[in-house]
Amino acid sequence: MSLRTSVNGTVGSEAAVPPEQQNQQQQQQPPPPNAWQVIKGVLFRILIIWAISSWFRRGSTPQDPATPTGAPRPPSRNLFPRDTLMDLHIYLSEKESFTEFNSTSAVFWEQRDLVYGDWSSGANRDGCYEQYSDIQVPEGVQNNGSFYIHVFLTKSGFHPDPSQKALYRRLATLHTSRMLNKYKRRRFLKTKNLLTGETEADPEMIKRAEDFGPIEIISHWHTNLTINIVDDHTPWVQGSVPPPLDQYVKFDAVSGDYYPILYFNDYWNLQKDYIPINTSVSTLPLRVTFCPLSLWRWQLYAAQNSRSPWNFLGEELYEQSDEEQDSVKVALLETNPYLLALTITVSIVHSIFEFLAFKNDIQFWNSRQSLEGLSVRSVIFGVFQSLVVLLYILDNETNFVVQVSVGIGLLIDFWKITKVMDVKLDRQNKVAGIFPRVTVKDKSTYVASSTKVYDDMAFKYLSWILFPLLGCYAVYSLLYMEHKSWYSWVLGMLYGFLLTFGFITMTPQLFINYKMKSVAHLPWRMLTYKALNTFIDDLFAFVIKMPMMYRIGCLRDDVVFFIYLYQRWIYRVDPTRLNEFGTSGEAPTDLPAQDGPASLTNGQEVSGPPKPEEDKKKD
């Protein structure tokens, strides 16, 4: 039995999982998301997310900007004017409410005579100051307890301790705090070789899984923390501060003015850099940086850290892996700015093409009356593929947003079934005498055409290739990979097989085109948009670091589409050929007038008196 561990996806599991098992996991699980995929997905869904967030904000009651007497509140001012001299006091404690001002062990940093709005002091002449120290970890923190940082900012000459009456002033003291450690879920996935029952997992991890169950809450630590003081003197009106800024602007209840904004900025702390805290950790490094921050940059950070519109689902349903949380940040940190700008621009174009391809695909199948030349078996196989993907991500506990996205795609595939086959409810022969029986049969336009013969022939030849490959991959997965159960093995084997060889299912349509010597029945507008997206994927697959399987997938899609283009070139549209209505694409040609009856050209009447309305109806 093996245990695959993940903290919100992956963090913390690398140290406990052997390299051999990690290789097996990489073969069994889909590749992690990369910057290109994440940016493309974010841009494609940003409009929907904005609409959802706007809808939920509508339900909240805004604060009343008026005073109890009904008069409008006057604009407030910052209690710390520009160029105010300040003292910074930072304490560390296990308690959320801090009162241990006389404890020297709680003091982490004291910095005197800071200037509010100063952007040119400090070691690097940027207004920033830094303090680094190795701190002793209390026993309670070693056992999953909380650890808090308390920041007090006072005007010079004052003290943050309220017990020192002569040195304490309420309007001259700003206090804010937050928890330094971060709790993450680590999931234990029990896997084993289904034939031998053996595992390569660490015995200690097996014991922890037995003691703590499938999910363990573990405290984690990050070395860096930035404290920003926002250089802002906007005359805010209490009750009218826009969200999410209203969470940070604190007004004094008596004077009505507001305190300077202290913002704990950990946006650039990558999830992969967090380290777990346990009883073996006696000291932890901590680097605290104090820097000024402009208003517009603070607004960007606050908007990024605000609650996602999907968080109303709860953390159990909406939980992002560490790769998903870090991917955009890593792209901003490590990607060349010009390449990043190009990526964002092309991503917008890619998203537009994706939407147009989706729209035209729906329009094509919604207006299609005849199935001549279309592979119905490929549509049915597409439903099977979508169903396998949905069951696989449900078995692997992917976050709820991904499940909904794949589920919607499966519903659209089911809808296509109703367009290519006759789906009816048989209310005479009910299942168990209660539920109507669903009957599915081929449409008459499909049965009566030669397309069905070619479609069946193509899938017969295809089965000669697919079934041996499927059998070999199933044996390989059973012998060399570890699984939670036989059900997980079936899903993992089918998912891996479809991921590797799924492109083969695109070949039946090529065979039908070859047999019919025509491509006029294909949704070329939709195929063109998808091809453009594939070419964009090709460009970035070799510019941005991506898994090799993703690059191979882009290449094989290109090969199939180029075959489609070659067929379109050799099976050109013949404008002189009559269609099923007896008309052609050529315009009628007028001949010189002759004696006698009206002349005919291409079987069409070009002269003569117009027919009466009754004769037209008879025709």
Side-chain angles (χ1 to χ4, degrees):
M1 181 178 60
S2 169
L3 288 143
R4 287 183 292 145
T5 62
S6 63
V7 184
N8 284 353
T10 58
V11 167
S13 62
E14 291 81 356
V17 184
E20 295 82 0
Q21 188 180 358
Q22 291 181 5
N23 294 335
Q24 292 181 1
Q25 294 172 21
Q26 292 173 359
Q27 294 173 357
Q28 186 175 2
Q29 295 183 353
N34 50 67
W36 161 238
Q37 292 172 314
V38 171
I39 293 175
K40 180 181 67 176
V42 167
L43 291 174
F44 183 66
R45 288 175 288 186
I46 191 170
L47 182 60
I48 298 177
I49 291 178
W50 174 82
I52 294 176
S53 61
S54 299
W55 172 266
F56 281 97
R57 284 175 183 171
R58 251 184 242 168
S60 60
T61 304
Q63 297 177 332
D64 186 7
T67 61
T69 60
R73 296 183 185 272
S76 303
R77 63 180 180 88
N78 195 325
L79 288 169
F80 285 46
R82 192 180 300 277
D83 298 329
T84 299
L85 289 178
M86 307 175 298
D87 295 337
L88 177 67
H89 308 264
I90 296 181
Y91 304 89
L92 303 180
S93 173
E94 296 181 66
K95 298 179 181 179
E96 188 174 1
S97 178
F98 186 77
T99 57
E100 304 169 357
F101 292 98
N102 296 325
S103 175
T104 56
S105 60
V107 178
F108 177 77
W109 185 17
E110 287 188 345
Q111 184 74 33
R112 306 285 181 178
D113 297 330
L114 296 171
V115 180
Y116 189 20
D118 179 17
W119 291 78
S120 59
S121 62
N124 298 321
R125 299 297 178 183
D126 54 0
C128 295
Y129 296 84
E130 184 179 292
Q131 175 73 6
Y132 177 86
S133 177
D134 289 327
I135 61 175
Q136 297 293 324
V137 182
E139 183 179 355
V141 179
Q142 291 178 333
N143 293 283
N144 252 18
S146 301
F147 205 32
Y148 294 90
I149 181 171
H150 296 270
V151 180
F152 293 86
L153 196 64
T154 66
K155 294 181 179 180
S156 290
F158 294 94
H159 197 274
D161 187 2
S163 63
Q164 300 187 24
K165 303 296 183 182
L167 298 176
Y168 176 79
R169 293 290 184 275
R170 176 177 54 84
L171 296 181
T173 305
L174 170 63
H175 170 238
T176 185
S177 64
R178 67 164 286 173
M179 190 166 59
L180 278 175
N181 57 320
K182 181 177 182 179
Y183 292 102
K184 295 186 178 185
R185 293 182 179 90
R186 179 163 65 180
R187 301 180 182 274
F188 298 93
L189 302 179
K190 299 180 181 180
T191 61
K192 62 181 179 180
N193 188 296
L194 298 178
L195 295 180
T196 64
E198 297 178 354
T199 179
E200 297 179 356
D202 187 354
E204 182 181 351
M205 300 305 298
I206 298 177
K207 186 178 183 303
R208 293 184 68 86
E210 294 173 351
D211 295 340
F212 298 101
I215 299 178
E216 182 183 6
I217 306 297
I218 298 180
S219 177
H220 284 72
W221 181 269
H222 199 286
T223 307
N224 299 321
L225 177 64
T226 299
I227 303 173
N228 289 128
I229 180 169
V230 181
D231 186 8
D232 170 50
H233 297 272
T234 303
W236 299 110
V237 177
Q238 186 174 0
S240 299
V241 182
L245 308 184
D246 56 346
Q247 304 175 35
Y248 305 97
V249 182
K250 298 179 180 179
F251 290 88
D252 180 67
V254 179
S255 66
D257 295 327
Y258 65 91
Y259 292 93
I261 301 168
L262 283 181
Y263 179 69
F264 291 103
N265 191 352
D266 60 355
Y267 181 78
W268 299 109
N269 289 355
L270 301 181
Q271 299 297 319
K272 65 179 182 180
D273 295 332
Y274 280 84
I275 56 177
I277 305 174
N278 50 44
T279 54
S280 64
V281 179
S282 58
T283 60
L284 286 170
L286 178 61
R287 177 183 289 104
V288 176
T289 305
F290 183 83
C291 280
L293 185 68
S294 61
L295 176 62
W296 73 272
R297 290 188 65 185
W298 170 60
Q299 290 175 323
L300 291 178
Y301 284 125
Q304 288 293 324
N305 290 329
S306 62
R307 285 179 59 88
S308 167
W310 290 103
N311 280 3
F312 72 93
L313 300 169
E315 294 185 359
E316 291 293 337
L317 292 179
Y318 182 74
E319 181 180 354
Q320 289 182 305
S321 69
D322 293 325
E323 289 90 349
E324 292 174 338
Q325 297 181 48
D326 287 346
S327 53
V328 173
K329 299 177 185 178
V330 171
L332 295 174
L333 288 172
E334 300 180 357
T335 308
N336 182 281
Y338 297 103
L339 180 59
L340 185 63
L342 178 63
T343 302
I344 295 175
T345 302
V346 179
S347 297
I348 297 175
V349 177
H350 191 287
S351 300
I352 295 174
F353 285 155
E354 276 190 352
F355 174 76
L356 293 175
F358 173 78
K359 179 182 73 70
N360 283 278
D361 189 29
I362 296 296
Q363 288 179 344
F364 174 80
W365 289 105
N366 191 40
S367 60
R368 191 71 182 180
Q369 300 297 327
S370 173
L371 298 177
E372 182 73 22
L374 296 176
S375 176
V376 175
R377 298 294 180 265
S378 295
V379 177
I380 298 174
F381 195 82
V383 175
F384 171 73
Q385 285 182 298
S386 300
L387 182 61
V388 169
V389 173
L390 179 61
L391 294 177
Y392 177 80
I393 64 174
L394 288 174
D395 185 58
N396 286 272
E397 300 178 356
T398 311
N399 73 63
F400 183 74
V401 178
V402 177
Q403 296 174 8
V404 170
S405 176
V406 176
I408 292 175
L410 179 61
L411 292 177
I412 294 175
D413 288 336
F414 274 122
W415 171 78
K416 288 182 181 179
I417 291 291
T418 64
K419 293 298 180 180
V420 301
M421 304 188 77
D422 286 327
V423 181
K424 297 181 181 179
L425 293 178
D426 186 359
R427 303 185 183 276
Q428 301 297 328
N429 302 317
K430 296 184 178 180
V431 178
I434 302 176
F435 304 103
R437 187 183 301 273
V438 179
T439 60
V440 181
K441 63 179 182 179
D442 292 327
K443 286 183 176 291
S444 58
T445 57
Y446 179 69
V447 175
S449 66
S450 58
T451 303
K452 177 176 172 56
V453 178
Y454 301 147
D455 203 5
D456 293 340
M457 188 184 305
F459 266 84
K460 182 182 71 173
Y461 296 152
L462 186 63
S463 64
W464 296 352
I465 303 175
L466 281 180
F467 289 147
L469 290 175
L470 178 61
C472 294
Y473 189 83
V475 172
Y476 170 80
S477 175
L478 190 61
L479 290 177
Y480 298 104
M481 294 183 180
E482 297 181 359
H483 308 274
K484 294 185 295 183
S485 62
W486 288 99
Y487 173 74
S488 297
W489 167 71
V490 172
L491 289 180
M493 177 264 298
L494 290 176
Y495 180 80
F497 175 77
L498 294 174
L499 195 67
T500 307
F501 303 106
F503 76 100
I504 300 179
T505 59
M506 302 170 65
T507 56
Q509 186 62 61
L510 297 174
F511 182 78
I512 294 175
N513 299 342
Y514 165 73
K515 284 293 186 179
M516 299 187 66
K517 309 298 184 203
S518 173
V519 294
H521 45 270
L522 296 180
W524 280 104
R525 186 175 297 178
M526 182 269 293
L527 289 175
T528 302
Y529 289 134
K530 285 191 173 182
L532 291 173
N533 279 346
T534 303
F535 296 148
I536 294 175
D537 289 340
D538 290 337
L539 172 65
F540 286 95
F542 292 95
V543 172
I544 297 177
K545 183 179 179 181
M546 291 185 180
M548 182 56 65
M549 283 302 300
Y550 185 85
R551 296 179 176 180
I552 295 175
C554 293
L555 178 61
R556 69 195 184 195
D557 291 344
D558 292 339
V559 172
V560 173
F561 184 73
F562 276 120
I563 297 176
Y564 276 123
L565 289 180
Y566 175 72
Q567 288 183 333
R568 183 176 176 86
W569 179 67
I570 60 175
Y571 306 140
R572 299 180 181 180
V573 178
D574 184 6
T576 64
R577 182 168 56 185
L578 299 180
N579 61 13
E580 62 269 28
F581 302 107
T583 60
S584 67
E586 284 190 331
T589 305
D590 294 336
L591 294 179
Q594 299 179 1
D595 295 336
S599 302
L600 297 176
T601 302
N602 288 339
Q604 296 183 2
E605 193 171 315
V606 295
S607 61
K611 287 187 177 183
E613 201 66 32
E614 295 181 359
D615 291 344
K616 290 184 179 179
K617 293 181 180 179
K618 291 179 182 180
D619 292 342

